[in-house]
Structures are given as C-alpha cells and as structure tokens.
Amino acid sequence: MKKILVTGGAGFIGSHLCEKLLEQGNEVVCADNFFTGSKENVMHLMDNPYFEVVRHDIIKSLLVEVDEIYNFACPASPVHYQYNAIKTIKTNVLGTTNMLGLAKRLKAKFLQASTSEVYGDPKEHPQKETYWGNVNPIGIRSCYDEGKRVAETLTIDYHRQNGLKIKIIRIFNTYGPRMAVNDGRVVSNFIVQALNNQDITVYGDGSQTRSFCYVSDLVDGAVKMMNSEDTFIGPVNLGNPVETPIIEFAEKIIKMTGSRSKIAYKPLPKDDPIQRKPDINLAKENLGWKPSVELESGLIKTIEYFEKKLKNGKIEV
Ligand code: NAD
Ligand code: UDP
C-alpha cells in the first residue's frame, strides 16, 4: 500500500483522483484550502479509514510522510484564478516549491498538474509537447499561464538539480460531475444556464474551439503517468483530441437538455485562446493511454449531476 498526497484533492479533478487512488488500495491524504473545492466533493470518501482530509494552503509548508505527491492545488477556472491573481501566482510558485521540497525530503515521486494554457494562444495546431507556446506575460490570464509555466520549470529543475523523480502532465479542458455550479468554465456555465432556461452566454462569436476530456479518462491518464517508467518524465499532453467550436457546444447542450434557452453573445475575454486541441501521440506511445469516453456520453453524466444539484432550488451562474 502506497501513501499518496493529493493537493487540491477536494477540487473537481482532485476528488476523482482521490477516489481512484483509494479504489486501487492506496492510503490517500487530501490537502486543500477549499478555495474552489469543497468538503462535499470528498464527503463520500470520509468513512474510508485510509482517507484523510487536511485543511491546508500549499503556500505554507506541509509536514506529512508520503510516497507520492500529485500537485493539483490551483484554481483552474479563469473567473477564480483571476479573482486573486497574486494568490494564484503564489500557489503555483511558492506552493509548488513547498511541495517539491517535501518530495525532496521524502524522496517521493512528484507529479505536477500543468495545463494546455502553457501553450497560450497557440500558433501551432494541434499542440505538441515540443511547442513552446505563445503566452502574454502581462495579460489577465498570465497569473495562471506563467504561474503554471514556472511550476513546470521548478519541477524540472528539482529533477536536474536534486535527482527528484518527477512527472509533468499538461491537462486540456476536462469536465464532468463535481465541477462547481459557480465554476465559471464553459461546460458548467452552459449546462446550468440550459437547465434554468436562461440565456447561454457565448463569448465572442463562438468560433473559438476547445477539446473536452471526460474526467475519468483524465484521471486514468494521470495515474498511468505517475506509474510509468522513471525515465519518462514528460511533459505529456492529456486530453481528448475531438475539437468543438464553442457555438456548436452551446447548441449541443441546448439540444441535450431540451432547453428553451437562447444564445446571448457576450464580449470575448482578453487573450482567450482561439483554438486548442491536444496532440496525444506521446501519451499513446509511452502510456498506452487514449480517452475512451465520447463527448455525448460524458455530457449525459455531467448534465445528470447538475440536474440533481439544481433540484433543490434555482441556482444561477
Ligand atoms: P478546481 O478549482 O476544482 O480544483 C482546485 C483545487 O485546489 C480546489 O479544491 C481548491 O480549493 C484547491 N486549491 C487552490 N489553491 C490552493 C492552495 N493554495 N492550497 C491548497 N489548495 C488549493 O479545479 P480542477 O479543474 O479540479 O483543476 C485541478 C488542477 O488541474 C489544477 O492545478 C488545474 O490548474 C489543473 N488543470 C485543470 C484543467 C481542467 O480543465 N479542469 C485543465 C488544465 C489544468
Ligand atoms: N466561454 C463562453 N461562455 C461562458 C464561459 C466560457 O463562451 O460562459 C468560452 C470562453 O471564452 C472560452 C471557452 O468557452 O473560449 C472555454 O472557456 P473556459 O473558461 O471553460 O476555459 P479556458 O479553456 O478558456 O480556460
């Protein structure tokens, strides 16, 4: 039995990861400051004697004894990471340094949850891991994009300088149950708006694209990466390469929910990437991983989740 720390373990992806690691017979410590995560996300795991939740902010050092660390703590939605931009940078820089320092002391394996945002508004399409990106260093998304880029640099330098066993995954847009109702990202916004028969807020003309990966596929890839050969450190893209324009995504959600919602066009936020699609050949070759959940099937489960959430009263986004 391994003892594993998941930072951000009470968040959307983190909670699914904790669940999977417990199912595999590990002991799991979840550390979270509950900024965007919630106890509700991990409530169903609380009875498990091998699961522990610690209220902790990773910008402070943490003393636990573990064999592996999955560093997932960081708000992921533009609305939330921009709410306190400096805190987002601190979480990525100070927080990641703290977790790497912990891994160094323990000789623990360390996996960093990076992001497709390191490619910025990409000039190369689809994005391969070899692409260095097109990121604005002083824009409203920079606290997250540059924060995550430095976190990758820190991770690789702990490997070079201290021989730490590291893994870096670049996560592309992931969705599924336990996204927060007020998360602000496109999947939760559109589903909640559709279920409430409110206007669907499409930013810009909706021609920008994203590629959506269901959370169970993503978690499967993350665990496969942690358990891969020590020599394969990444960065590796994890995402679903099926690309969808946002306007088509809005229409799909309206259709799938049978909603009376209309599309309302809003201004495109600054530096919003025009297109995004992962090249996942590296993950296929090195991890034998590719996503298996089709968009419609994943959305059915996600819509069911939000229907239950909204059942007890009208919650708007
Ligand atoms: P989320 O906001 O649901 O989860 C983040 C979790 O981290 C929350 O529980 C939050 O409370 C916690 N947290 C934030 N700052 C913290 C701090 N300083 N100390 C301790 N805990 C803190 O988002 P998510 O979608 O589950 O994303 C999880 C990770 O995956 C993030 O690192 C994110 O950057 C990365 N990621 C996610 C996506 C995606 O599409 N979901 C895409 C790329 C990367
Ligand atoms: N978006 C939108 N309406 C919303 C929320 C998001 O049109 O209510 C768009 C957003 O402008 C972006 C895409 O959907 O082009 C994905 O946004 P999200 O915030 O989910 O994640 P991102 O990939 O931009 O970090």
Side-chain angles (χ1 to χ4, degrees), residues 74-91:
C74 181
S77 153
V79 179
H80 295 294
Y81 69 64
Q82 288 165 23
Y83 170 75
N84 185 344
I86 294 166
K87 178 65 194 250
T88 301
I89 301 171
K90 284 184 179 171
T91 295

Side-chain angles (χ1 to χ4, degrees), residues 76 78 81 117 141 173 184-187 189-190 193 201-203 208 210 246 268-269 272-273 276:
Y81 69 64
E117 285 286 318
R141 296 175 84 101
N173 297 67
R185 280 176 285 184
V186 69
V187 177
N189 268 12
F190 285 6
Q193 288 163 344
T201 54
V202 169
Y203 302 157
Q208 73 272 31
R210 292 296 185 272
I246 292 302
L268 188 69
D272 199 286
R276 187 182 286 157

Side-chain angles (χ1 to χ4, degrees), residues 42-62:
V42 287
M43 201 62 90
H44 62 296
L45 305 174
M46 295 292 194
D47 285 342
N48 188 326
Y50 296 107
F51 183 64
E52 199 179 333
V53 181
V54 185
R55 179 185 287 270
H56 180 79
D57 193 310
I58 63 161
I59 70 165
K60 303 275 185 225
S61 60
L62 175 66

Side-chain angles (χ1 to χ4, degrees), residues 173-177 186-187 191 210-215 217 240-246 248-253 256 291-303:
N173 297 67
T174 298
Y175 71 98
V186 69
V187 177
I191 294 177
R210 292 296 185 272
S211 307
F212 297 104
C213 182
Y214 190 65
V215 65
D217 280 335
N240 191 322
V242 178
E243 189 183 4
T244 312
I246 292 302
E248 276 180 28
F249 188 66
E251 284 156 1
K252 187 185 270 294
I253 299 289
M256 286 183 73
S292 64
V293 181
E294 284 183 10
L295 186 57
E296 292 241 343
S297 325
L299 284 176
I300 289 172
K301 293 192 185 125
T302 312
I303 291 168

Side-chain angles (χ1 to χ4, degrees), residues 87-104:
K87 178 65 194 250
T88 301
I89 301 171
K90 284 184 179 171
T91 295
N92 280 304
V93 180
L94 302 178
T96 304
T97 309
N98 283 331
M99 294 306 108
L100 284 162
L102 177 65
K104 183 184 159 194

Side-chain angles (χ1 to χ4, degrees), residues 7-14 31-38 41 56-59 71-77 87 91-92 113-116 144 148 170-175 178-180 183 185:
T7 75
F12 156 52
I13 300 179
D32 203 295
N33 71 353
F34 300 114
F35 172 43
T36 49
S38 67
N41 283 345
H56 180 79
D57 193 310
I58 63 161
I59 70 165
N71 190 34
F72 274 66
C74 181
S77 153
K87 178 65 194 250
T91 295
N92 280 304
S114 190
T115 167
S116 53
Y144 183 76
K148 287 283 185 182
R170 290 184 179 153
I171 304 171
F172 283 65
N173 297 67
T174 298
Y175 71 98
R178 299 198 207 120
M179 292 185 93
D183 181 84
R185 280 176 285 184

